């Protein structure tokens, strides 16, 4: 557990904003789950993704709440084109938001997450990221750059207790819990199911003679946060790739905690998302990245060598 003062002020403000937005949307999602009225909308931006009225409400609410703490910023939400908020026509900060991740499950009362990342265009890197878990006790995962330029990661539980994240898993593959967003049968589950070399290695006996390797389901940035916290050992995405709003906040938090995020060739993913101009931001929001996220570099390399 850590003293609240260990978390930089900007990160505290963003965490408070995320908590407020989650507290406001939670009863609405509970009502949607219990009534079956899921508020689905036609998704004109991402035709194969579920979009609800709750995604759009969170999009608008974040834009309003963030303005209380940031005088000027570029607002880059999954639900709209990037726009400048405030009086500065060219602000340093870009706020990348996924208002409601896994919204198709959130309206069923199962899982719901939300991502906010503050990126300094001058430094070409994130300076704060918060990933919120709407329904569970482990409520906020965050990373922030402190006054001396060091990135630190934290976990805040629903009762307000704060914990430093600096001990990600040191497991090897034969004893690892590896997660994947495998919900879509053809796009994601089938490509995973045919990774025979990977599953053979994951199923091998560990040093104590027991088969401890496991495959699990996880979602977006929170999956990387679970690796950062040591709850899981690795997360892989090699089929479709994650969009920037799903990957970048969790990537920053995992890196700040001491974990690794690499591409499918084993090269580390940089924190620079090339968000220089509005055109660059819009372009970055149209791309996808495949990756391996792991608690340690040895596990990342083991996995990378096995994926086909």
């Amino acid at each position: 557990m850590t003293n609240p003062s260990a978390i930089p002020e900007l990160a505290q403000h963003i965490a408070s904003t995320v908590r407020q937005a989650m507290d406001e949307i939670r009863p609405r999602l509970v009502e949607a789950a219990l009534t079956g009225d899921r508020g689905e909308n036609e998704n004109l931006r991402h035709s194969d993704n579920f979009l609800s009225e709750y995604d759009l409400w969170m999009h608008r609410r974040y834009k309003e709440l963030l303005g209380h703490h940031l005088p000027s910023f570029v607002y880059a939400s999954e639900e709209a084109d990037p726009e400048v908020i405030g009086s500065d026509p060219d602000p340093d900060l870009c706020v990348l938001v996924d208002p409601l991740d896994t919204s198709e499950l959130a309206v069923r009362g199962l899982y719901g997450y939300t991502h906010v990342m503050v990126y300094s265009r001058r430094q070409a890197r994130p300076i704060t990221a918060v990933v919120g878990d709407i329904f569970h006790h482990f409520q906020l995962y965050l990373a922030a750059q402190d006054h001396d330029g060091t990135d630190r990661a934290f976990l805040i539980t629903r009762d307000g207790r704060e914990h430093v994240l600096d001990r990600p898993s040191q497991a090897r593959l034969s004893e690892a819990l590896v997660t994947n967003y495998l919900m879509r049968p053809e796009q994601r589950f089938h490509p995973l199911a045919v990774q025979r070399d990977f599953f053979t290695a994951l199923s091998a006996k560990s040093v104590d003679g027991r088969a401890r390797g496991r495959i699990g389901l996880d979602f977006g940035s929170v999956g990387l946060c679970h690796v950062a916290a040591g709850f899981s050992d690795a997360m892989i995405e090699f089929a479709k790739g994650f969009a920037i709003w799903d990957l970048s906040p969790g990537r920053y938090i995992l890196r700040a905690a001491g974990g690794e995020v690499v591409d499918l060739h084993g090269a580390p993913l940089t924190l620079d998302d090339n968000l220089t101009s509005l055109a660059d931001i819009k372009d970055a929001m149209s791309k996808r990245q495949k990756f391996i996220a792991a608690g340690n570099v040895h596990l990342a390399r083991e996995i990378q060598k096995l994926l086909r």
Side-chain angles (χ1 to χ4, degrees):
M1 209 157 47
T2 184
N3 188 300
S5 64
I7 299 177
E9 184 177 9
L10 175 60
Q12 292 188 45
H13 288 320
I14 300 301
S16 176
T17 296
V18 171
R19 185 183 289 110
Q20 181 176 345
M22 292 196 302
D23 286 346
E24 292 177 4
I25 198 66
R26 189 181 300 107
R28 301 179 184 214
L29 294 173
V30 170
E31 180 70 12
L34 294 174
T35 62
D37 182 5
R38 294 167 184 157
E40 184 171 3
N41 283 244
E42 182 182 3
N43 194 333
L44 300 177
R45 292 177 60 80
H46 313 285
S47 59
D48 60 342
N49 287 350
F50 179 86
L51 178 70
S52 72
E53 63 185 63
Y54 307 103
D55 297 81
L56 299 173
W57 184 89
M58 287 282 273
H59 161 77
R60 294 189 295 267
R61 187 62 173 137
Y62 269 133
K63 183 160 58 171
E64 177 184 0
L65 292 173
L66 288 164
H68 297 164
H69 302 294
L70 302 173
S72 292
F73 58 98
V74 179
Y75 187 58
S77 166
E78 179 185 3
E79 311 308 343
D81 287 338
E83 61 178 308
V84 174
I85 307 296
S87 58
D88 186 345
D90 189 27
D92 174 49
L93 298 181
C94 175
V95 184
L96 182 76
V97 174
D98 185 349
L100 185 58
D101 191 36
T102 67
S103 56
E104 191 170 4
L105 300 178
V107 297
R108 298 170 184 260
L110 295 172
Y111 303 96
Y113 308 100
T114 182
H115 315 155
V116 177
M117 186 178 81
V118 181
Y119 182 98
S120 168
R121 298 160 70 201
R122 183 178 61 253
Q123 295 185 52
R125 68 188 310 281
I127 56 173
T128 294
V130 178
V131 173
D133 187 327
I134 295 170
F135 295 121
H136 298 117
H137 184 67
F138 295 114
Q139 190 172 66
L140 297 174
Y141 302 85
L142 65 95
Q145 186 183 59
D146 65 17
H147 65 278
D148 66 2
T150 302
D151 296 310
R152 303 185 190 279
F154 305 87
L155 166 65
I156 305 177
T157 53
R158 190 166 182 176
D159 56 7
R161 297 190 177 214
E162 300 173 1
H163 304 264
V164 173
L165 299 182
D166 60 2
R167 298 180 181 178
S169 169
Q170 297 303 305
R172 304 306 289 262
L173 186 56
S174 61
E175 56 188 13
L177 168 59
V178 181
T179 63
N180 178 255
Y181 180 58
L182 47 80
M183 284 189 61
R184 296 201 170 192
E186 191 62 32
Q187 285 185 323
R188 297 187 186 273
F189 181 80
H190 183 263
L192 174 67
V194 299
Q195 295 291 326
R196 294 184 178 180
D197 292 344
F198 168 72
F199 279 115
T200 297
L202 184 62
S203 302
K205 291 181 179 179
S206 57
V207 292
D208 64 0
R210 298 176 63 183
R212 296 183 175 275
R214 297 290 187 270
I215 190 74
L217 170 68
D218 220 327
F219 312 93
S221 266
V222 78
L224 287 83
C225 293
H226 291 155
V227 179
F231 301 156
S232 59
D233 304 296
M235 184 179 193
I236 56 176
E237 171 49 44
F238 58 89
K240 187 178 179 182
F242 276 14
I244 184 173
W245 52 79
D246 286 324
L247 174 59
S248 292
R251 177 197 60 192
Y252 177 46
I253 293 168
L254 177 53
R255 288 281 297 275
E260 294 287 336
V261 187
V262 301
D263 66 19
L264 298 189
H265 301 289
L269 296 184
T270 121
L271 295 177
D272 181 358
D273 282 316
N274 189 30
L275 306 182
T276 306
S277 66
L278 288 180
D280 291 331
I281 296 168
K282 189 173 181 179
D283 182 59
M285 293 172 70
S286 69
K287 296 178 179 178
R288 289 183 172 271
Q289 176 68 57
K290 301 175 182 180
F291 66 90
I292 301 162
N296 64 86
V297 66
H298 303 292
L299 179 56
R301 288 173 178 166
E302 276 190 276
I303 295 170
Q304 183 264 325
K305 291 176 181 177
L306 292 165
L307 292 180
R308 299 288 180 267

